[in-house]
Amino acid sequence: MAQTSTTSDQLISTLRDTVVSMVRRDGPDLSARQLGVFLTCYLQEGAHTVRGLASTLNVSKPAITRALDRLGELDLARRKVDPMDRRSVLVQRTLKGAAYLRELRSIMNEAAGVPATGRTTKAARGEERAPRRAAG
């Protein structure tokens, strides 16, 4: 049970550090809903529609539309009418969105103490160095 609590605390700390870094940097500031829509589009394979995102995230279609309006303003995602079903709107990824995701991954790795090589540092894993003994 203590391990689960420690892991949860580490995850919450990483989330906090990530959000603080995102707020402090010069770039788009996304709400939790906008970030949820963005990450769903970029991390889940397949075509995404407004209707599908609303179902996946369990929010209304107007809420998805508002989030996509903001993502579109920032060129992090764009909407396109589905040529196979003109009633359906597809959500497409953008180059700027892919770059934003790379930056987000980098910020999260830094917050989690993961160096560029992808290995977690001892400090981030909670491993402390044993004190050195004095030569004598």
Side-chain angles (χ1 to χ4, degrees):
M1 185 76 155
Q3 180 66 26
T4 303
S5 177
T6 301
T7 301
S8 296
D9 290 346
Q10 289 170 340
L11 289 172
I12 289 294
S13 179
T14 299
L15 177 61
R16 181 214 171 269
D17 293 347
T18 299
V19 170
V20 168
S21 291
M22 290 175 67
V23 168
R24 287 181 179 161
R25 71 176 180 62
D26 189 29
D29 195 17
L30 301 181
S31 70
R33 179 170 289 146
Q34 293 161 356
L35 189 57
V37 170
F38 172 82
L39 291 172
T40 300
C41 291
Y42 278 81
L43 299 178
Q44 292 185 348
E45 291 299 318
H48 296 281
T49 63
V50 172
R51 183 181 306 120
L53 288 167
S55 176
T56 298
L57 298 173
N58 197 27
V59 296
S60 69
K61 287 191 287 185
I64 296 296
T65 298
R66 288 189 300 273
L68 288 171
D69 286 345
R70 177 71 174 142
L71 294 175
E73 289 170 12
L74 298 169
D75 194 29
L76 299 177
R78 75 175 59 100
R79 286 175 281 194
K80 178 183 174 188
V81 174
D82 184 349
M84 304 299 281
D85 179 358
R86 300 204 41 84
R87 297 169 297 165
S88 188
V89 177
L90 296 173
V91 180
Q92 298 180 316
R93 298 172 181 146
T94 65
L95 291 175
K96 190 171 179 183
Y100 183 79
L101 181 60
R102 280 191 305 276
E103 185 177 359
L104 180 57
R105 280 186 170 125
S106 175
I107 290 169
M108 287 196 77
N109 282 335
E110 187 175 311
V114 178
T117 61
R119 294 190 185 128
T120 305
T121 62
K122 287 182 181 182
R125 290 191 306 259
E127 297 175 16
E128 306 249 347
R129 279 189 154 163
R132 290 187 177 189
R133 293 185 188 176

